């Protein structure tokens, strides 16, 4: 089955070819080269007990299926399941747990993930330990006989801490636990966790996979048959599916993922280098800089260093001047779109994280985050330079 849907691809197909073609073939009834938006709730059956593989829109949809097969191939998985948001995808992963189970989680995980675990799932006799997963010894110490999942984000948002994926997979597997990687920040162009031993990968497709800031969605990619069977069941049972239109948008987005990521990576690195020599900037967080404490690990497990950069200006007032002074950078939450966004983690994305926890994670009031888009780099640097002049 794994190969069937790679249609015209040979076993040797490379990444950009996979992004463009996997999961898709010309529409059998018209030859349309682009998978249509199958905006339908049900499917007419040929006769009682005989149908074309599609019965009801929550259970199966051809546009969604094309996207799921496309992303499964992109992430080197066996199957993928698309959900209505990144959080719905993480919620589906959580249904693999049973009461009494324990999960070890990157302490700097996305705030929405922390909220789901801490405020919702902890009501169901599930327990969570938050640990700096960059520190493998601490991660191992956090594991208990009840640990069934190690849930990591790498790089983390916004301080760009990395977790060694191969070591994390070994730690999890030694305890019969799954390694789950939220790969939203890196994108599969830069990092493919399954190749390092991850069992499950998840994305907010809202970010790099769709890439155009016009859709909310999520996906889970799996490799083990039992996980695939369960996720297929849960996607239908809970029903938090990605719509046909959003599936189509993301499928359009993945066609240009490699091209966009090359530009995001180039712009990210150029912005990080510019900021690291600017006298008003105290510190830059970017895994592509040799000064990043885990630069060697980044080179080992990432193909590019991404478009996300954080930097420290020393005070809320300095951060405010830059955030209010930029013209081309848009002040907004989210990331991974073609246009460059700038944000203030302490009061925006991480406002729900208690102040003491923020301080422990290194998220200060003077920190600014950039999601580098694909504009001409000179224009982005000019804009940053004029905003920094006001500090
Ligand atoms: C790393 C990460 N994971 C998951 C999510 C949740 O995704 P969504 O907003 O699509 O529900 C986000 C959203 O910002 C994220 O940054």
């Amino acid at each position: 089955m794994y190969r069937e849907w790679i249609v015209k691809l040979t076993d040797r197909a490379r990444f950009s070819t996979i992004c463009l073609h996997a999961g898709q073939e010309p529409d059998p009834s018209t030859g349309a080269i682009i998978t249509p938006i199958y905006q339908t709730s049900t499917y007419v059956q040929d006769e009682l007990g005989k149908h074309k593989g599609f019965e009801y829109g929550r259970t199966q949809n051809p546009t969604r299926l094309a996207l799921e097969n496309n992303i499964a191939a992109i992430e080197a998985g066996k199957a993928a399941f698309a959900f209505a948001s990144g959080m719905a995808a993480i919620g589906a992963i959580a249904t693999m747990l049973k009461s009494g189970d324990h999960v070890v989680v990157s302490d700097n995980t996305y705030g929405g993930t922390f909220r789901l675990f801490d405020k919702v799932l902890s009501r169901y006799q599930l327990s969570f330990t938050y640990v700096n997963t960059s520190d493998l010894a601490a991660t191992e110490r956090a594991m208990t006989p009840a640990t069934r999942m190690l849930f990591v984000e790498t790089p983390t948002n916004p301080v760009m801490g990395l977790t060694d994926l191969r070591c994390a997979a070994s730690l999890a597997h030694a305890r019969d636990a799954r390694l789950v990687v939220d790969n939203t920040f890196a994108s599969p162009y830069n990092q493919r966790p399954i190749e390092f031993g991850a069992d499950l990968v998840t994305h907010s497709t809202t970010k790099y996979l769709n890439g155009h800031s016009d859709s909310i969605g999520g996906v889970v990619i799996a490799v083990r048959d039992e996980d695939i069977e369960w996720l297929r069941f849960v996607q239908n049972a809970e029903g938090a599916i990605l719509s046909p239109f959003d599936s189509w948008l993301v499928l359009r987005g993945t066609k240009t993922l490699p091209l966009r990521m090359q530009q995001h990576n180039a712009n990210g690195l150029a912005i990080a280098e510019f900021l690291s020599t600017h006298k008003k900037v105290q510190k830059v967080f970017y895994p592509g800089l040799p000064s990043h404490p885990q630069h060697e690990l980044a080179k080992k497990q990432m193909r590019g260093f991404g478009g996300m950069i954080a930097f420290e200006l020393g005070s809320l007032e300095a951060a405010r001047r830059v955030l209010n002074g930029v013209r081309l950078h848009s002040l907004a939450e989210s990331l991974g779109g073609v246009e460059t966004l700038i944000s203030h983690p302490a009061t925006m994305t991480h406002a729900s994280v208690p102040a003491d926890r923020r301080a422990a994670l290194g998220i200060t009031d003077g920190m600014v985050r950039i999601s580098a888009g694909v504009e001409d780099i000179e224009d982005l640097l000019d804009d940053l330079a004029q905003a920094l002049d006001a500090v």
Side-chain angles (χ1 to χ4, degrees):
M1 169 185 167
Y2 179 32
R3 285 284 141 199
E4 263 169 39
W5 43 259
I6 305 189
V7 198
K8 51 192 160 190
L9 301 183
T10 69
D11 284 349
R12 286 174 44 231
R14 284 125 182 120
F15 190 78
S16 296
T17 311
I18 289 173
C19 287
L20 261 168
H21 295 290
Q24 297 151 84
E25 56 183 348
D27 177 49
S29 57
T30 63
I33 194 162
I34 295 300
T35 304
I37 304 167
Y38 284 93
Q39 192 69 36
T40 187
S41 61
T42 191
Y43 308 87
V44 177
Q45 309 201 357
D46 298 336
E47 58 183 72
L48 194 61
K50 191 167 166 226
H51 56 76
K52 296 180 171 65
F54 297 90
E55 295 154 276
Y56 184 62
R58 167 162 37 78
T59 321
Q60 309 108 340
N61 178 278
T63 320
R64 194 176 83 222
L65 183 64
L67 173 69
E68 291 172 336
N69 288 340
N70 178 252
I71 294 181
I74 289 174
E75 275 288 9
K78 266 198 198 167
F81 300 92
F83 295 90
S85 68
M87 288 320 304
I90 294 171
I93 291 174
T95 66
M96 298 172 117
L97 299 163
K98 299 194 181 73
S99 70
D101 285 353
H102 172 251
V103 183
V104 175
V105 190
S106 294
D107 57 359
N108 196 11
T109 195
Y110 169 60
T113 305
F114 174 72
R115 181 173 54 201
L116 176 69
F117 291 173
D118 190 55
K119 299 276 186 298
V120 182
L121 299 177
S122 59
R123 294 157 50 107
Y124 297 88
Q125 273 112 44
L126 296 170
S127 58
F128 299 86
T129 300
Y130 301 90
V131 63
N132 176 3
T133 52
S134 303
D135 181 343
L136 290 163
T139 307
E140 187 165 23
R141 279 197 303 276
M143 293 179 129
T144 74
T147 306
R148 295 279 67 87
M149 225 176 242
L150 171 57
F151 188 105
V152 308
E153 260 176 65
T154 175
T156 58
N157 172 22
V159 296
M160 308 290 160
L162 304 189
T163 296
D164 187 321
L165 289 170
R166 200 179 294 284
C167 295
S170 305
L171 278 186
H173 295 160
R175 282 157 190 79
D176 201 21
R178 300 277 197 273
L179 173 64
V180 183
V181 180
D182 183 335
N183 203 27
T184 302
F185 240 55
S187 91
Y189 178 84
N190 286 331
Q191 174 173 281
R192 297 210 297 177
I194 288 169
E195 291 176 342
F196 295 95
D199 304 285
L200 294 155
V201 173
T202 185
H203 282 272
S204 164
T205 60
T206 313
K207 314 294 170 4
Y208 287 112
L209 287 179
N210 180 55
H212 293 75
S213 314
D214 51 13
S215 160
I216 297 281
V219 70
V220 182
I221 302 100
V223 283
R224 298 189 192 206
D225 290 342
E226 68 216 85
D227 294 352
I228 291 168
E229 204 180 313
W230 177 255
L231 287 164
R232 180 170 290 123
F233 174 79
V234 157
Q235 186 189 40
N236 183 49
E238 290 192 333
I241 48 161
L242 192 65
S243 76
F245 181 55
D246 287 289
S247 298
W248 183 84
L249 282 173
V250 182
L251 196 52
R252 188 182 57 161
T254 58
K255 287 183 189 298
T256 56
L257 178 72
L259 292 170
R260 287 186 284 108
M261 289 315 303
Q262 284 163 32
Q263 186 79 358
H264 285 300
N265 287 345
N267 284 356
L269 183 60
I271 290 173
E273 283 171 346
F274 165 80
L275 291 171
S276 65
T277 57
H278 198 286
K279 58 181 187 313
K280 307 255 176 82
V281 175
Q282 297 180 359
K283 188 168 177 190
V284 180
F285 301 80
Y286 186 72
L289 292 179
S291 59
H292 188 284
Q294 293 166 297
H295 182 55
E296 289 310 312
L297 175 61
K299 284 199 286 190
K300 226 168 60 185
Q301 68 183 25
M302 299 178 80
R303 172 175 169 184
F305 306 113
M308 301 302 301
I309 313 112
F311 57 104
E312 178 59 52
L313 287 165
S315 70
L316 177 60
E317 187 45 36
R320 192 193 310 277
R321 282 174 189 246
V322 169
L323 292 160
N324 291 342
V326 286
R327 298 189 191 116
L328 184 58
H329 293 63
S330 301
L331 178 61
E333 295 198 8
S334 199
L335 62 112
V338 285
E339 52 289 291
T340 298
L341 304 182
I342 194 163
S343 64
H344 186 240
T347 59
M348 295 170 73
T349 48
H350 290 67
S352 62
V353 179
D356 55 339
R357 200 174 143 83
R358 275 205 309 271
L361 296 171
I363 303 167
T364 62
D365 286 352
M367 179 179 272
V368 170
R369 188 189 84 174
I370 290 177
S371 168
V374 301
E375 297 91 342
D376 288 299
I377 187 62
E378 296 80 1
D379 294 326
L380 293 174
L381 297 185
D382 286 351
D383 192 36
L384 272 179
Q386 65 81 23
L388 282 162
D389 279 348
V391 173

